Amino acid sequence: MNNVLGHAAWRWLFYLEGALTVFVAICAIFILPDFPSTTKWLSDDERRLALRRMEEDAGVGDQKETEQGGLTHGLYLAVTDWTVWWFAMAVNAIVVSLSFNAYFPTLSATLGYNPTVSLLLVAPPFVFAVIVTFCLCRHSDHKQERFYHIIGSWIAGIIGFIIAISTMNTAARYVSLFLMAQTYAGLVVMLAWMNNSFPRPPSKRAVCVAIINGFSQLGNVAGSYIWPLSWGPTYRYSYGICIAASGTAIIMAWIFKQHLISLNEKLEREEQEKGIKEKGFRYLL
């Protein structure tokens, strides 16, 4: 499609991908349900099951039991909660370390192959990343644990950055690309942790998701400046920045986990004071 309507082929790629994304987003407005109680296409049994699962997830219902105040109350709760901004900064840091994604063809080209082979070599690391993401997320849900699943992926990514810094050996650098790509698995679990950590009320949860996702994309802006051609073909400085960003995200995630531990301890003390024997809601760690 090069020069079609006077536009370069790469511009058409962005137009088509962007148009598809916008189309799916518009469809999602009408397809994705807001709450089980307001979803018309659920049967009564499915609605009760969905509500029960949400109660088990957060210890309370999703709307009537947790929503208070007006329409802007959830916005106020989210904006004034320091943990929301802390979590957003942690995600922002890991997004900076993932900035290699935009320059992956350039990094694969440093292996020394022709442009066609270099582009073909881009695919296998991300196929591997998809498999790792699926397995890691399933295992994280099965074990009901987030933190160690997240940092395990990120530490593997740091190892990939270190390998890329340390050698220009073709095989070693290609292995490093696999380790870098699977870092996305940790990010996906991190986003799941976000929903677990800010569950109620739903209006606050919605604003938290928007703030964290929106703010984290600033990492892509910053990341676009850490891969200048003058630092190639080794890109040691770029990889060093990615290591620092990943390390920062790991430290922030650990601090966030300690905060959740303290909240869980508080919930346990309250249950003991009230004489409640059945264990209630706990934040996932």
Side-chain angles (χ1 to χ4, degrees), residues 143-165:
K143 294 296 184 181
Q144 290 292 284
E145 197 280 333
R146 299 291 188 232
F147 176 73
Y148 290 111
H149 286 81
I150 292 169
I151 69 166
S153 172
W154 293 352
I155 290 173
I158 290 175
I159 294 173
F161 295 137
I162 293 174
I163 293 173
I165 288 175

Side-chain angles (χ1 to χ4, degrees), residues 59-173:
V60 291
D62 201 57
Q63 273 184 289
K64 296 180 180 179
E65 295 89 338
T66 57
E67 285 288 12
Q68 298 177 355
L71 296 175
T72 61
H73 186 61
L75 173 63
Y76 172 79
L77 292 175
V79 172
T80 57
D81 187 346
W82 71 269
T83 60
V84 174
W85 299 103
W86 184 268
F87 200 96
M89 285 296 296
V91 177
N92 183 68
I94 200 62
V95 169
V96 171
S97 76
L98 291 170
S99 60
F100 64 82
N101 172 58
Y103 303 93
F104 216 77
T106 300
L107 299 180
S108 66
T110 63
L111 300 176
Y113 297 100
N114 64 56
T116 301
V117 174
S118 295
L119 290 174
L120 289 173
L121 291 175
V122 170
F126 284 101
V127 173
F128 174 72
V130 170
I131 296 172
V132 173
T133 300
F134 177 80
C135 295
L136 191 70
C137 291
R138 287 293 299 270
H139 193 263
S140 175
D141 282 342
H142 177 69
K143 294 296 184 181
Q144 290 292 284
E145 197 280 333
R146 299 291 188 232
F147 176 73
Y148 290 111
H149 286 81
I150 292 169
I151 69 166
S153 172
W154 293 352
I155 290 173
I158 290 175
I159 294 173
F161 295 137
I162 293 174
I163 293 173
I165 288 175
S166 305
T167 181
M168 289 297 292
N169 177 270
T170 300
R173 286 180 73 85

Side-chain angles (χ1 to χ4, degrees), residues 167-243:
T167 181
M168 289 297 292
N169 177 270
T170 300
R173 286 180 73 85
Y174 195 50
V175 168
S176 74
L177 295 181
F178 280 80
L179 294 175
M180 292 179 213
Q182 65 77 46
T183 306
Y184 274 97
L187 175 61
V188 172
V189 179
M190 184 77 167
L191 295 178
W193 200 20
M194 169 182 64
N195 289 316
N196 298 141
S197 302
F198 307 103
R200 302 294 182 268
S203 58
K204 177 185 177 181
R205 180 183 63 222
V207 177
C208 289
V209 170
I211 289 176
I212 293 170
N213 278 301
F215 190 81
S216 66
Q217 295 311 304
L218 293 176
N220 286 320
V221 178
S224 65
Y225 291 95
I226 68 174
W227 299 92
L229 287 175
S230 59
W231 287 359
T234 61
Y235 292 101
R236 288 191 176 93
Y237 297 126
S238 305
Y239 289 128
I241 293 172
C242 289
I243 291 172

